[in-house]
């Protein structure tokens, strides 16, 4: 009887995706404006994203409006951000810092996956018309809630052109 009760409880908990999915990686395809959560090598969630005003190419310096490309880690969560929840991307890495130093520029930083800016009142569909971030990856607040629950600190993120 105890095992049956535990099985029923387990099935009930699995109606919430956060309890049943182990997200291995996050994949961003900038040219498609999509972000995917990956579990066991399969894309299990898909989100529309908003990038910066100059999205083509790898981030070169602070303020260039580009999102970095390459492999990074989602290294901490910030629930008291100026945006609706934020998960930090480990940019710049040692290679980014060395390149910026060679070029005499600031590589920038504080690149996040986040929801809407807290003080934005325009409708979501109007905001989607504009590429406005300085290199971050913005999703809807509803998507950010799901990502927040499913993605653990330390999850790798690959950002492709």
């Amino acid at each position: 009887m105890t095992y049956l009760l535990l099985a029923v409880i387990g099935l009930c908990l699995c109606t919430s995706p956060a309890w049943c999915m182990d997200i291995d990686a996050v994949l961003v395809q900038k040219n498609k404006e999509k972000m995917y959560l990956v579990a066991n090598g399969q894309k299990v969630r898909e989100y529309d994203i908003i990038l910066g005003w100059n999205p083509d190419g790898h981030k070169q310096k602070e303020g260039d409006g580009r999102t970095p490309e390459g492999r990074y880690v989602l290294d901490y969560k910030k629930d008291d951000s100026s945006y609706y929840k934020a998960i930090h991307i480990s940019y710049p890495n040692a290679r980014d810092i060395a390149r910026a130093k060679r070029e005499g520029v600031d590589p920038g930083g504080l690149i996040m996956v986040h929801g809407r800016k807290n003080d934005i009142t325009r409708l979501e569909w109007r905001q989607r018309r504009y590429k406005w971030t300085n290199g971050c990856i913005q999703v809807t607040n509803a998507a950010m809630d799901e990502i927040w629950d499913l993605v653990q600190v330390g999850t790798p993120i690959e950002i492709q052109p």
Side-chain angles (χ1 to χ4, degrees):
M1 183 67 172
T2 304
Y3 291 113
L4 179 59
L5 180 59
L6 289 174
V8 169
I9 291 171
L11 285 173
C12 292
L13 291 176
C14 281
T15 60
S16 169
W19 287 95
C20 299
M21 234 181 281
D22 189 18
I23 300 302
D24 304 321
V26 175
L27 172 65
V28 174
Q29 293 179 322
K30 290 170 43 174
N31 63 347
K32 292 183 179 181
E33 296 183 342
K34 296 286 185 185
M35 183 170 76
Y36 305 93
L37 302 187
V38 179
N40 298 317
Q42 301 294 313
K43 295 175 185 171
V44 295
R45 292 285 190 273
E46 177 181 312
Y47 307 98
D48 293 324
I49 61 173
I50 296 173
L51 299 169
W53 45 269
N54 184 26
D56 295 335
H58 179 59
K59 185 162 194 65
Q60 299 296 310
K61 61 184 179 179
E62 178 75 28
D64 65 5
R66 292 181 177 172
T67 301
E69 295 173 357
R71 294 173 189 248
Y72 297 92
V73 173
L74 296 168
D75 57 1
Y76 66 85
K77 292 182 176 183
K78 185 168 177 56
D79 60 3
D80 63 346
S81 168
S82 297
Y83 300 87
Y84 182 76
K85 297 180 181 174
I87 305 176
H88 185 258
I89 298 170
S90 64
Y91 174 88
N93 61 26
R95 188 175 336 145
D96 298 317
I97 293 168
R99 181 200 34 76
K101 186 175 182 179
R102 280 192 310 274
E103 295 175 10
V105 297
D106 180 342
L110 287 179
I111 304 298
M112 308 264 190
V113 175
H114 60 71
R116 295 178 66 187
K117 188 157 177 49
N118 289 332
D119 61 356
I120 295 290
T121 57
R122 74 175 69 104
L123 297 174
E124 188 81 37
W125 65 269
R126 280 192 68 210
Q127 187 179 9
R128 289 211 44 81
R129 292 177 32 199
Y130 305 101
K131 294 182 184 309
W132 61 271
T133 79
N134 280 328
C136 292
I137 300 166
Q138 192 234 313
V139 296
T140 66
N141 289 357
M144 195 64 217
D145 281 335
E146 187 171 85
I147 294 162
W148 188 268
D149 289 341
L150 292 172
V151 175
Q152 300 302 310
V153 168
T155 300
I157 182 170
E158 182 176 348
I159 305 169
Q160 299 175 344

